[in-house]
Amino acid sequence: MKDLKRIASLVGSLSEIEFKVLETIERIADQGRVATPDAIARSLKLGTDYVAKMLDELNRRRLVWSPRGRGREYMLNFASLDMLALHSASRRGILTHIGVKIGVGKEADIYVGRTGEGNVVGVKFYRIGRTSIKKHRRFREVGLEAANYLASSKMSAQREIQALRILYPKGVPVPAPVYRNRHMVVTSLIEGELLARVDKLSEPEALLWEIIKSVKMALEAGVIHCDLSHYNILITPEERHVIIDWPQWVRPSHPNAELYLRRDIENIATFFRRKFRLAGSVEGVIGWVSKD
Ligand SMILES: Nc1ncnc2c1ncn2[C@@H]1O[C@H](COP(=O)(O)OP(=O)(O)O)[C@@H](O)[C@H]1O
Ligand SMILES: [Mg+2]
């Protein structure tokens, strides 16, 4: 999103009451109600005209939008969700700066950030449905759809930090969890390259087994990744691996757990076999995990 910088700078320029209006729209939507100017005004004990004017201004700055026509009902978008998340993080001293974008995935943007203590961190903003929200903006039903996308983005962030909080203390190589707010996840920043882009490894076979060992440790901690591939593993300059991108994880008790686990391992084994010409069979690797 090219205008996260704009959004970060707006955090300082928005008044407390404007933030309250945004938070109120969010709360009303979370309760499954319709955020009309009247409902927002009532909730804040302010006059409807005053609130309507503020909404108009927020709309002009593209921080709220009206799926059913201006003035009738308001919703947040990813820009205002970003602002609310950044506002919460900066109020707590967790984030003081947002820097360059370092990753764009299908469902998220990743930025470099800095904490109040001066640590450099990775800041992931989920953007589920981003492209389709834009595409279908005109349709009436889009309101419902967009609300679901914002909710799904929050849910993904929640799920991801939950996995990291289970795995990191157990020593599974994942980014260290720092903070989560709404659809935003803050973690340690990993210096490394996607496994998919690594062409040379000094000991590919050793690395494959290290990754399998991590999958097994995660399993023992009660977490199956479910989207493991060479696109979700970072390789550090020391050729150590870090497994990222955990929102879709499941518990080993999940009815499809075994299928997902097998697929995760097959993806990795197949990648190593093809790219690094390892003879070790995929079955061997899977057998090793399910044995003990
Ligand atoms: N903690 C991190 N440190 C460094 N780079 C990261 C970190 N998290 C993500 N990235 C980069 O951002 C990209 C997308 O992140 P990812 O978590 O896989 O999201 P997506 O769901 O969009 O695939 C990754 O491929 C990686 O290059
Ligand atoms: Mg990914």
Side-chain angles (χ1 to χ4, degrees):
M1 192 171 184
K2 68 173 184 312
D3 49 9
L4 189 75
K5 275 259 148 73
R6 174 183 83 90
I7 288 152
S9 67
L10 276 177
V11 171
S13 76
L14 231 61
S15 65
E16 272 311 306
I17 187 69
E18 285 173 312
F19 271 111
K20 289 239 163 66
V21 167
L22 294 177
E23 281 164 1
T24 304
I25 295 173
E26 181 181 44
R27 195 174 53 245
I28 291 174
D30 282 349
Q31 293 164 350
R33 295 190 294 131
V34 177
T36 60
D38 205 39
I40 299 163
R42 249 181 293 129
S43 170
L44 287 168
K45 300 193 170 55
L46 292 168
T48 304
D49 288 350
Y50 175 68
V51 168
K53 232 185 243 150
M54 209 159 10
L55 286 164
D56 224 26
E57 175 59 18
L58 288 168
N59 191 44
R60 198 185 57 74
R61 295 157 92 175
R62 287 179 286 127
L63 292 172
V64 297
W65 64 292
S66 271
R68 277 160 229 268
R70 211 148 141 195
R72 296 185 60 189
E73 171 191 0
Y74 285 94
M75 291 188 67
L76 299 187
N77 52 25
F78 281 119
S80 38
L81 212 59
D82 290 357
M83 285 197 61
L84 289 175
L86 288 171
H87 185 58
S88 299
S90 78
R91 218 173 25 204
R92 292 175 172 83
I94 289 159
L95 281 178
T96 55
H97 292 83
I98 283 284
V100 293
K101 193 192 275 192
I102 51 164
V104 193
K106 278 197 312 276
E107 314 225 292
D109 292 330
I110 290 90
Y111 289 81
V112 173
R114 196 157 79 218
T115 67
E117 292 163 346
N119 296 322
V120 177
V121 286
V123 188
K124 179 170 181 175
F125 293 90
Y126 275 93
R127 312 241 183 260
I128 292 173
R130 157 176 53 189
T131 48
S132 25
I133 290 185
K134 270 194 188 142
K135 223 166 38 203
H136 301 299
R137 218 168 197 167
R138 296 229 177 85
F139 297 117
R140 263 176 82 97
E141 310 78 51
V142 73
L144 241 184
E145 209 173 291
N148 289 338
Y149 287 142
L150 298 182
S152 304
S153 298
K154 289 184 193 176
M155 182 67 74
S156 293
Q158 215 163 13
R159 296 274 302 155
E160 176 149 44
I161 196 120
Q162 195 185 5
L164 300 180
R165 283 179 180 149
I166 296 170
L167 298 171
Y168 186 76
K170 302 256 183 202
V172 182
V174 296
V178 175
Y179 177 71
R180 198 268 319 172
N181 191 277
R182 296 181 171 82
H183 64 318
M184 179 185 82
V185 182
V186 182
T187 65
S188 61
L189 185 72
I190 309 300
E191 188 199 348
E193 178 110 60
L194 269 188
L195 176 56
R197 294 205 197 99
V198 172
D199 292 321
K200 261 215 212 103
L201 284 170
S202 50
E203 292 183 78
E205 184 153 11
L207 180 64
L208 167 62
W209 286 101
E210 284 297 315
I211 294 171
I212 301 300
K213 198 170 116 194
S214 296
V215 171
K216 199 180 168 207
M217 280 169 78
L219 178 67
E220 278 159 5
V223 178
I224 299 170
H225 189 291
C226 296
D227 190 24
L228 192 64
S229 79
H230 42 295
Y231 292 105
N232 283 329
I233 298 180
L234 290 170
I235 304 299
T236 69
E238 301 81 34
E239 296 195 9
R240 307 190 76 90
H241 68 281
V242 179
I243 306 179
I244 61 168
D245 205 5
W246 292 84
Q248 64 293 307
W249 69 281
V250 300
R251 291 282 186 193
S253 56
H254 188 280
N256 294 330
E258 212 179 307
L259 179 81
Y260 296 149
L261 178 65
R262 179 173 269 268
R263 198 179 55 194
D264 278 358
I265 294 169
E266 273 174 5
N267 286 343
I268 298 306
T270 306
F271 171 78
F272 273 88
R273 203 179 45 208
R274 292 204 181 130
K275 188 150 181 185
F276 295 101
R277 313 229 158 264
L278 292 190
S281 84
V282 173
E283 285 307 318
V285 167
I286 291 166
W288 188 76
V289 159
S290 42
K291 229 181 356 229
D292 31 355

